[in-house]
């Protein structure tokens, strides 16, 4: 089926209703003697905020070039994944092995031959080219002069207002006959986007100086709260009784409150695993974890001093203790304190990603983690996009080769970070989104928070429809977050109880301190699994905004998929008890419930759930529908929570007992 591209805000959107094929493979071999017409492969319409163009890059500078080759069979991927993710299918849960996935999606012989022939005919000797073990990348070193001739481009130095320098070009071209064999080439148009810390107590995520347009990190930190009675001895006793859980959950949300809200039982078996991902400089303190375990805020008999299984990816560095302030601890402390209590006695694995290198080797990113858990994804040097992802070895930090397929992924991976979709190139997002699809085929449930700025992006940024530049946030087009917009992840929004409510009261969309991130992608088309739900939303509750404000084509991916409580969580933070807010809280809470379900499935001989979205949308009655609240931003009221799916709270909040009935007790 042919789908015409959708144009919105100057960005070409490639619809991916079923799969996300980056290009279509052609079998012609590029001529070596006749001139070939070049076409622009990627271009950047604007310079990211905070950067300024400087001088040309000297011609003799050597660049580590990486070419991402198009993969095979992407046009078949969605249907295969949907089949094994459909609870009514006889193939439900028949996940693939690493080898099956690597072989099925490996670039074709024609693609590899055509790209190599082009490089050779352009003066890049075959002896200089290294093919990655996963077969998806070609790597070679080349001077700026060689690359400018090869790509018909010009490299410039850019300087950030923080003093950081970067190499980039505005656009680059390749021969038309091989364009469809290449996803993208680096270093080219991509800009480094470091992790930014959320320090605002308003509804937007503020980036620190020098970190604009980066990967958001961390919940919003609220006031400190008095400690509850402490436990004595080496283990906890269940002092948080059901009366406290149901009567005091408005002002103080605890694990017991979440159990009461969503009917979550306590675990008795350790058969599955939950993964939490943190990116440098975010970390956690074991002393905070001990403090939480020893307090009356928990409701299990988890021994005080219980630790997560820590997997240090590419060094897994943390800041010195005297620099680990609350803003660097809130995410890790929150994720682990709640995940470990909710899933106990199951194992929680912490993937601590990144190092403290200070050189010009890029910033830690999602791709660095994906490299570490999937050998077929990583390229020769690790870090799939030079100039955007962190590259190794880094003499100023982790001076070793990047982890490549080193770690086994957990059955559930929860991540509370995100980029503005607008900040990344379409090719970069597409290739990464396809990796989440592969994790789904492998049986991994990938969960991302949907953001805390309502319809605005990180740092409260909105998009000027005319220029594509960011506004001050008081007006402009809505700015969705990635990877929440990828159709192969489960995006989790936020709800809340009012201060005077109990755990038996209905929740509303979160409007305390943060707003639930939600809206519609400007890059990814609406997947089949949500077509009915989203079409019904538009038919009954069509938002009052034009195409200048959001992508109202009714053809793109809507998010979030589900929600969970995201306000007034009590955590131990740097030696004190504090309240925190955000989808950073709701994502691991939902992930913990999926981990519990996996545990029960394995106990009766079934496999982990894997990719969740098809079965969730097929069974909306497994959720508590949220029908009140908005997610404001960009000078608007945003979207409204309404009956059925909506771009504020998705399908609603989970009812564990109903999920259990469908996905465990009555599962085929």
């Amino acid at each position: 089926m042919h789908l015409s591209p959708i144009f919105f805000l100057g960005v070409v959107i490639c619809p991916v209703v079923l799969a996300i094929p980056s290009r279509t493979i052609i079998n012609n071999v590029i001529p070596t003697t006749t001139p070939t017409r070049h076409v622009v492969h990627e271009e950047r319409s604007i310079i990211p905020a905070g950067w300024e163009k400087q001088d040309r890059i000297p011609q003799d500078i050597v660049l580590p070039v990486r070419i991402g080759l198009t993969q095979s069979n992407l046009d078949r991927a969605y249907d295969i994944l949907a089949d094994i993710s459909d609870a009514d299918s006889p193939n439900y849960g028949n996940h693939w092995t690493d080898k099956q996935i690597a072989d099925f999606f490996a670039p074709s012989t024609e693609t590899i031959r055509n790209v190599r022939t082009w490089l050779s005919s352009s003066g890049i000797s075959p002896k200089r080219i290294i093919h990655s073990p996963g077969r998806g990348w070609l790597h070679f070193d080349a001077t700026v002069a060689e690359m400018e001739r090869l790509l018909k481009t010009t490299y410039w130095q850019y300087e950030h207002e923080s003093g950081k320098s970067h190499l980039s070009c505005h656009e680059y071209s390749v021969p038309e006959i091989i364009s469809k064999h290449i996803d993208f080439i680096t270093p080219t148009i991509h800009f480094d986007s470091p992790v930014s810390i959320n320090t605002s107590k308003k509804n937007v995520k503020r980036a620190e100086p020098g970190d604009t347009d980066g990967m958001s990190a961390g919940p919003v930190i609220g006031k400190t709260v008095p400690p509850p009675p402490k436990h004595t001895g080496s283990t906890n006793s269940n002092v948080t009784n059901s009366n406290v859980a149901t009567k005091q959950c408005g002002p103080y949300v605890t694990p017991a409150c979440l159990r009461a809200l969503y009917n979550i039982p306590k675990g008795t078996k350790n058969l599955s695993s939950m993964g939490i991902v943190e990116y440098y400089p975010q970390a956690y303190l074991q002393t905070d974890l001990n403090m939480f375990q020893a307090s009356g805020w928990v409701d299990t008999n988890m021994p005080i001093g219980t630790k997560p299984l820590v997997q240090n990816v590419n060094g897994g560095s943390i800041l010195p203790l005297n620099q680990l302030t609350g803003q660097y601890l809130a995410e890790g402390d929150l994720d682990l304190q709640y995940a470990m209590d909710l899933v106990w006695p199951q194992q929680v694995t912490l993937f601590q990603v990144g190092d403290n290198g200070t050189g010009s080797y890029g910033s830690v990113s999602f791709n660095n983690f994906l490299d570490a858990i999937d050998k077929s994804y990583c390229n020769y040097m690790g870090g799939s996009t030079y100039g955007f992802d962190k590259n190794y070895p880094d003499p100023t930090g982790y001076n070793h080769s990047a982890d490549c397929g080193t770690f086994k992924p957990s059955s559930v991976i929860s991540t509370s970070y995100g980029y503005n979709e607008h900040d990344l190139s379409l090719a970069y997002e597409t290739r990464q989104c396809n990796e989440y699809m592969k994790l789904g085929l492998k049986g991994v449930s990938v969960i991302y928070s949907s953001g805390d700025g309502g319809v605005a992006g990180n740092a409260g940024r909105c998009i000027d429809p005319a220029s594509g530049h960011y506004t001050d946030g008081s007006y402009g087009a809505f700015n969705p977050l990635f990877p929440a917009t990828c159709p192969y992840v489960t995006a989790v929004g936020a709800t809340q109880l009012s201060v005077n409510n109990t755990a038996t009261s209905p929740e509303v969309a979160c409007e305390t301190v943060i707003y639930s991130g939600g809206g519609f992608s400007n890059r990814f088309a609406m997947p089949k699994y949500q077509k009915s739900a989203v079409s019904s939303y538009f038919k009954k509750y069509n938002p009052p905004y034009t195409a200048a404000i959001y992508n109202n084509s009714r053809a793109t991916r809507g998010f979030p998929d589900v929600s969970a409580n995201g306000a007034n969580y009590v955590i131990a933070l740097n030696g004190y008890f504090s309240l925190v807010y955000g989808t950073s809280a709701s994502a691991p809470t939902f992930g913990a419930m999926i981990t519990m379900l996996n545990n029960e499935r394995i106990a009766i001989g079934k496999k982990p759930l894997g990719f969740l979205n098809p079965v969730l949308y097929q069974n909306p009655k497994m959720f508590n529908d949220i029908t009140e609240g908005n997610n404001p931003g960009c000078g608007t009221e945003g979207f409204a929570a309404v009956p059925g799916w909506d771009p504020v709270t998705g399908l609603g909040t989970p009812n564990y007992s109903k999920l259990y009935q469908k996905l465990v007790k009555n599962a085929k």
Side-chain angles (χ1 to χ4, degrees):
M1 176 174 63
H2 175 74
L3 293 170
S4 300
I6 302 164
F7 292 88
F8 179 70
L9 298 177
V11 177
V12 179
I13 305 164
C14 294
V16 284
V17 171
L18 300 183
I20 310 177
S22 301
R23 304 287 188 272
T24 301
I25 295 173
I26 55 177
N27 297 325
N28 310 73
V29 178
I30 184 171
T32 59
T33 57
T34 59
T36 302
R37 189 173 84 90
H38 281 63
V39 293
V40 174
H41 195 70
E42 282 193 286
E43 63 180 331
R44 177 176 286 280
S45 59
I46 60 172
I47 299 174
W51 293 92
E52 185 175 335
K53 189 176 181 180
Q54 302 292 318
D55 300 325
R56 289 275 303 270
I57 299 294
Q59 297 287 286
D60 59 349
I61 294 294
V62 176
L63 305 177
V65 182
R66 288 130 195 213
I67 299 179
L69 303 172
T70 54
Q71 302 169 85
S72 302
N73 295 314
L74 290 175
D75 57 326
R76 299 172 56 192
Y78 180 94
D79 287 337
I80 294 171
L81 180 59
D83 184 39
I84 67 172
S85 305
D86 182 346
D88 295 324
S89 168
N91 295 317
Y92 186 51
N94 290 339
H95 303 129
W96 288 22
T97 65
D98 289 344
K99 187 177 187 304
Q100 282 178 300
I101 293 170
D103 290 345
F104 190 72
F105 295 107
S108 68
T109 302
E110 290 81 7
T111 285
I112 297 168
R113 182 178 69 237
N114 284 359
V115 176
R116 280 184 170 274
T117 301
W118 165 56
L119 294 174
S120 177
S121 67
S122 301
I124 307 298
S125 168
K127 295 181 179 180
R128 295 166 58 184
I129 302 171
I130 298 174
H131 198 178
S132 69
R135 293 173 281 180
W137 297 87
L138 296 180
H139 173 273
F140 58 92
D141 292 337
T143 65
V144 168
E146 287 180 304
M147 290 304 294
E148 289 188 344
R149 288 194 300 270
L150 183 71
L151 302 180
K152 312 298 182 187
T153 192
T154 302
Y155 283 94
W156 297 87
Q157 178 178 331
Y158 291 81
E159 186 171 314
H160 194 267
E161 56 193 18
S162 64
K164 185 175 183 178
S165 296
H166 182 72
L167 173 152
S168 186
C169 61
H170 171 68
E171 65 177 32
Y172 66 96
S173 300
V174 299
E176 184 177 26
I177 199 169
I178 68 151
S179 178
K180 295 180 179 181
H181 294 287
I182 294 173
D183 278 349
F184 55 84
I185 300 174
T186 68
T188 50
I189 67 169
H190 312 94
F191 273 76
D192 179 19
S193 291
V195 175
S196 59
I197 310 302
N198 182 14
T199 59
S200 173
K201 293 186 180 180
K202 303 297 182 182
N203 63 299
V204 297
K205 285 183 176 287
R206 302 288 184 190
E208 289 189 322
D211 286 351
T212 53
D213 308 326
M215 180 201 296
S216 66
V220 177
I221 303 170
K223 66 181 181 180
T224 58
V225 297
K230 291 187 176 181
H231 298 303
T232 58
S234 61
T235 62
N236 297 332
S237 59
N238 186 3
V239 302
T240 309
N241 58 43
S242 60
N243 185 56
V244 173
T246 58
K247 294 290 179 62
Q248 297 184 6
C249 293
Y252 302 128
V253 170
T254 65
C257 291
L258 298 172
R259 291 191 199 280
L261 272 170
Y262 305 131
N263 299 316
I264 307 172
K266 293 179 182 178
T268 59
K269 298 176 281 292
N270 181 18
L271 302 176
S272 187
S273 63
M274 179 177 180
I276 298 290
V277 190
E278 306 294 350
Y279 293 87
Y280 180 85
Q282 294 290 304
Y284 89 103
L285 279 182
Q286 183 63 39
T287 52
D288 283 345
L289 188 53
N290 296 346
M291 180 179 171
F292 190 73
Q293 292 166 350
S295 75
W297 298 122
V298 300
D299 68 338
T300 64
N301 62 352
M302 178 170 49
I304 298 168
T306 300
K307 300 178 181 180
L309 173 64
V310 179
Q311 303 283 19
N312 291 317
V313 178
N314 298 329
S317 300
I318 62 172
L319 291 166
L321 285 177
N322 63 353
Q323 297 180 30
L324 278 175
T325 57
Q327 63 179 350
Y328 297 115
L329 293 170
E331 185 65 64
D333 279 352
L334 165 65
D335 289 344
L336 291 172
Q337 289 169 27
Y338 277 76
M340 290 176 67
D341 187 75
L342 289 172
V343 307
W344 175 259
Q346 294 183 82
Q347 178 69 60
V348 173
T349 299
L350 168 63
F351 296 96
Q352 186 69 49
V353 185
D355 67 320
N356 58 357
T358 59
S360 56
Y361 291 83
S363 296
V364 63
S365 74
F366 299 141
N367 276 347
N368 294 120
F369 171 62
L370 294 173
D371 286 342
I373 62 172
D374 185 357
K375 186 176 181 179
S376 71
Y377 186 65
C378 58
N379 63 34
Y380 172 63
M381 295 292 285
S384 298
T385 305
Y386 180 87
F388 192 91
D389 307 318
K390 186 65 186 284
N391 290 266
Y392 297 98
D394 180 353
T396 69
Y398 184 66
N399 196 20
H400 305 276
S401 297
D403 283 311
C404 178
T406 309
F407 304 100
K408 180 180 178 180
S410 305
S411 298
V412 175
I413 297 176
S414 175
T415 307
S416 298
Y417 299 70
Y419 292 100
N420 292 334
E421 190 184 64
H422 191 65
D423 290 340
L424 308 174
S425 79
L426 175 61
Y428 180 97
E429 290 174 337
T430 298
R431 194 173 181 103
Q432 187 177 114
C433 188
N434 282 329
E435 176 63 11
Y436 297 127
M437 173 269 295
K438 294 178 188 176
L439 287 174
L441 282 174
K442 198 179 297 188
V444 177
S445 301
V446 181
I447 295 168
Y448 272 94
S449 57
S450 70
D452 295 351
V455 294
N458 292 334
R461 294 189 180 279
C462 305
I463 307 166
D464 184 330
S467 67
H469 290 278
Y470 284 135
T471 70
D472 62 5
S474 64
Y475 72 98
F478 301 164
N479 192 9
L481 262 62
F482 176 84
T485 55
C486 169
Y488 295 122
V489 310
T490 301
V492 185
T495 55
Q496 69 170 72
L497 291 164
S498 73
V499 172
N500 297 321
N501 283 163
T502 69
T504 58
S505 304
E507 291 183 276
V508 297
C510 192
E511 296 183 2
T512 298
V513 181
I514 67 101
Y515 295 121
S516 179
F520 298 89
S521 173
N522 293 324
R523 300 288 174 87
F524 299 103
M526 186 188 303
K528 281 183 179 179
Y529 61 73
Q530 70 169 186
K531 185 175 181 180
S532 176
V534 178
S535 296
S536 177
Y537 165 78
F538 277 115
K539 182 178 180 180
K540 297 177 181 179
Y541 309 104
N542 190 30
Y545 308 118
T546 68
I549 299 300
Y550 85 109
N551 193 324
N552 66 353
S553 64
R554 305 189 182 193
T556 61
R557 154 85 160 142
F559 76 106
D561 300 297
V562 298
S563 289
N565 193 284
N568 295 313
Y569 277 53
V570 180
I571 67 167
L573 179 62
N574 216 15
Y576 298 90
F577 287 105
S578 298
L579 298 181
V580 294
Y581 307 80
T583 51
S584 288
S586 51
T589 293
F590 182 77
M593 284 186 265
I594 299 304
T595 305
M596 295 281 289
L597 292 167
N598 281 341
N599 198 47
E600 297 298 333
R601 286 178 57 84
I602 293 171
I604 59 174
K606 296 186 181 298
K607 295 182 180 180
L609 290 166
F611 181 46
L612 300 169
N613 293 4
V615 73
L616 301 185
Y617 280 88
Q618 287 169 351
N619 299 277
K621 291 184 179 180
M622 298 188 300
F623 295 86
N624 309 306
D625 196 7
I626 307 300
T627 59
E628 294 184 34
N630 290 72
N631 60 350
C634 304
T636 75
E637 289 300 309
F639 300 107
V642 296
W645 179 92
D646 57 67
V648 185
T649 61
L651 296 168
T653 60
N655 184 320
Y656 183 90
S657 60
K658 292 183 178 180
L659 288 164
Y660 176 84
Q661 288 294 319
K662 175 63 180 178
L663 303 179
V664 181
K665 186 175 181 180
N666 297 325
K668 294 181 179 180

